[in-house]
Amino acid sequence: MSLFGGLAIFIACLGLFGLASFSALRKMKEMGIRKVLGASLSHIILLFTKGFAWLVLAANVFGLPLAYLLIRTWLQNYAYAMSISPVLFLVPALLLLIVSALTISYHTLRTALANPVEHLRQE
């Protein structure tokens, strides 16, 4: 189970990495214009990661209640009752946000540190 769980997380990170790569290619010119007009590195990084953070938070908003209902239904079949604490949901949500931030950080930094002249010259 651990092996397949790790494999599923790895495949999800690859998908997120590909989505970040696609998004970075589409936004290179926009980021170049922002850098030329004086945007700071932190502003560009925040602008790029904000879209992915909303996707991860939306996944948590829809996924956590569903997981709670499924776990509660599954645990009702056992003779000994067990309480479900919020920590069981908050820690994975926080870890998911951290892993997704680490996954897209490569493309975020590459886009933010790129020379804007190279991308604006193509027109």
Side-chain angles (χ1 to χ4, degrees):
M1 290 293 265
S2 297
L3 177 68
F4 288 120
L7 185 63
I9 291 171
F10 179 71
I11 291 171
C13 286
L14 281 177
L16 188 60
F17 189 77
L19 184 63
S21 174
F22 178 71
S23 180
L25 287 175
R26 286 186 48 220
K27 291 185 177 187
M28 281 289 211
K29 193 174 290 188
E30 175 191 349
M31 296 302 163
I33 292 171
R34 288 181 185 271
K35 282 180 76 171
V36 167
L37 294 176
S40 66
L41 181 68
S42 61
H43 179 73
I44 291 174
I45 290 173
L46 179 68
L47 190 68
F48 192 76
T49 57
K50 188 173 32 173
F52 291 104
W54 283 114
L55 289 174
V56 171
L57 289 175
N60 281 323
V61 165
F62 291 119
L64 292 179
L66 180 64
Y68 174 76
L69 291 174
L70 290 173
I71 289 173
R72 191 180 68 180
T73 304
W74 180 57
L75 289 176
Q76 287 177 351
N77 294 331
Y78 289 101
Y80 296 103
M82 183 176 164
S83 64
I84 303 171
S85 70
V87 175
L88 292 174
F89 299 100
L90 294 178
V91 171
L94 183 65
L95 287 175
L96 179 65
L97 192 60
I98 291 170
V99 167
S100 66
L102 289 174
T103 302
I104 65 168
S105 66
Y106 170 73
H107 290 295
T108 302
L109 289 175
R110 192 180 76 169
T111 303
L113 295 174
N115 188 1
V117 175
E118 296 175 11
H119 303 290
L120 296 175
R121 188 182 311 167
Q122 295 173 359
E123 283 293 318

